[in-house]
Amino acid sequence: MKKSIKKIIAICLAVITVAVCFAACTSNETGNTNKKYKIGIAQWEAHEALDAATEGFKKAVEDKLGADNVEFEYNTAQGEVPNCSTIVNRYATNNVDLIMANATPVVQAAVSATKEIPIVGTSVTEYGVALGIENFSGLTGVNVTGTSDLAPLDQQAAMIKEIAPETKTVGIIYCSGEPNSKYQATEVTKYLADLGITATEYPFADSNDLQSIAVKAVSENDAVYVPTDNTAAKNTGIIDAVARPAKKPVFAGEEGIAKGCGIVTLTISYYDIGYTAGEMAADILENGKNPAEMEIGYAPKFTKKYNADICSELGITVPDDYVALDAAE
């Protein structure tokens, strides 16, 4: 009797072992380990461009990993640097699988918060500037990769000459607290100089002094250029209220700013760069890619767009290769 019981137990154990092995093999064959990844999304503030990047990121991650296999936690820093640190430090403490950092201040805070958790950035103009990397080659060498929102600055300078060929002076308005905006201002100044246009920088500290800076820039120049700048993007109404009555054209670094106060822009799709960042995140989580060894990604295409209302009011006619903002491309 005892031998029969032992034999039955042995048979049951064997069956269980085979079942476990079969399940493991099936899981490996399908690539589905049933792991649920937790991603902490930290966004600098809510505005059209950054919102689109976050939307694209989430869509790509869900497309690649499956919506049921990922959990997102989303927080916005509301444009405040201390909030960036609070958010990403909480993510690091909670040991999320990956941090998505949307905009430069958030990437900087995330790098300070963790050296182990992978960080994927987006809406960052120049990672070398953001991370203080000299002679930046496209690889950060640390736990950070991501996508850039940089449009060709030489072509943006050429756009000013194309639309307003009589322009001799340009005032560049940007937030002094955003290092990537300063980078763009410096580079555009060089390209404008090559075209015989003198550029002057007009940095502002925050929205409280933007109006006075805008008045100065508009009154002292033939035109204004606003690079991709988060603070400016959130306060385009202030710039528009100064520039439009003065009949001074504003050239924008991206379409969100162009919608608010600009006449034209050479822009990227923030949804697209967010989507690419999401694909990179999935590659890190699913395939174990090392962000330190992943090249920074750039927008696949650039589009010339114009603000029909402001152009009409200022009497500006754009070439046929410009697309109206919000029009189907």
Side-chain angles (χ1 to χ4, degrees), residues 133-319:
I133 302 172
E134 294 185 8
N135 302 316
F136 181 63
S137 63
L139 297 174
T140 67
V142 293
N143 58 320
V144 180
T145 189
T147 54
S148 168
D149 63 359
L150 181 65
L153 297 176
D154 58 338
Q155 294 181 41
Q156 290 197 347
M159 180 179 62
I160 296 175
K161 191 72 172 178
E162 177 183 42
I163 299 297
E166 73 286 353
T167 299
K168 299 299 181 185
T169 58
V170 171
I172 304 176
I173 298 176
Y174 66 93
C175 179
S176 58
E178 299 189 36
N180 283 308
S181 299
K182 167 60 178 173
Y183 168 81
Q184 292 172 81
T186 299
E187 293 302 307
V188 166
T189 296
K190 298 175 186 176
Y191 293 124
L192 289 172
D194 292 339
L195 298 173
I197 299 173
T198 300
T200 303
E201 297 181 16
Y202 293 83
F204 62 92
D206 53 41
S207 59
N208 294 321
D209 69 339
L210 175 55
Q211 182 176 13
S212 61
I213 292 296
V215 168
K216 185 174 176 60
V218 166
S219 64
E220 294 178 351
N221 296 277
D222 299 323
V224 169
Y225 172 75
V226 182
T228 55
D229 182 285
N230 291 305
T231 309
K234 194 174 182 180
N235 295 280
T236 54
I238 295 175
I239 301 172
D240 186 52
V242 174
R244 200 186 311 199
K247 303 296 183 183
K248 297 292 181 71
V250 176
F251 295 84
E254 54 93 6
E255 70 175 88
I257 295 173
K259 286 180 180 179
C261 65
I263 58 167
V264 295
T265 183
L266 177 67
T267 189
I268 66 167
S269 164
Y270 276 81
Y271 182 91
D272 286 350
I273 63 168
Y275 194 94
T276 299
E279 292 179 317
M280 298 169 84
D283 210 11
I284 291 168
L285 294 173
E286 189 172 42
N287 301 319
K289 287 291 186 70
N290 181 358
E293 299 172 354
M294 298 175 71
E295 290 271 358
I296 297 301
Y298 293 86
K301 65 178 181 178
F302 310 96
T303 306
K304 290 181 176 181
K305 295 189 175 184
Y306 71 99
N307 185 318
D309 290 339
I310 298 180
C311 283
S312 176
E313 188 169 333
L314 300 187
I316 294 173
T317 301
V318 301

Side-chain angles (χ1 to χ4, degrees), residues 7-36:
K7 187 175 181 180
I8 291 171
I9 292 173
I11 292 171
C12 289
L13 289 173
V15 170
I16 292 171
T17 301
V18 170
V20 170
C21 290
F22 177 78
C25 290
T26 302
S27 174
N28 289 334
E29 286 173 2
T30 60
N32 180 13
T33 60
N34 294 321
K35 175 176 174 59
K36 188 160 189 174

Side-chain angles (χ1 to χ4, degrees), residues 55-70 72 271 275 278-279 282 286:
E55 182 184 349
F57 176 86
K58 293 172 69 175
K59 182 65 167 62
V61 171
E62 290 177 344
D63 285 349
K64 295 294 182 180
L65 301 180
D68 294 335
N69 296 325
V70 61
F72 298 106
Y271 182 91
Y275 194 94
E279 292 179 317
E286 189 172 42

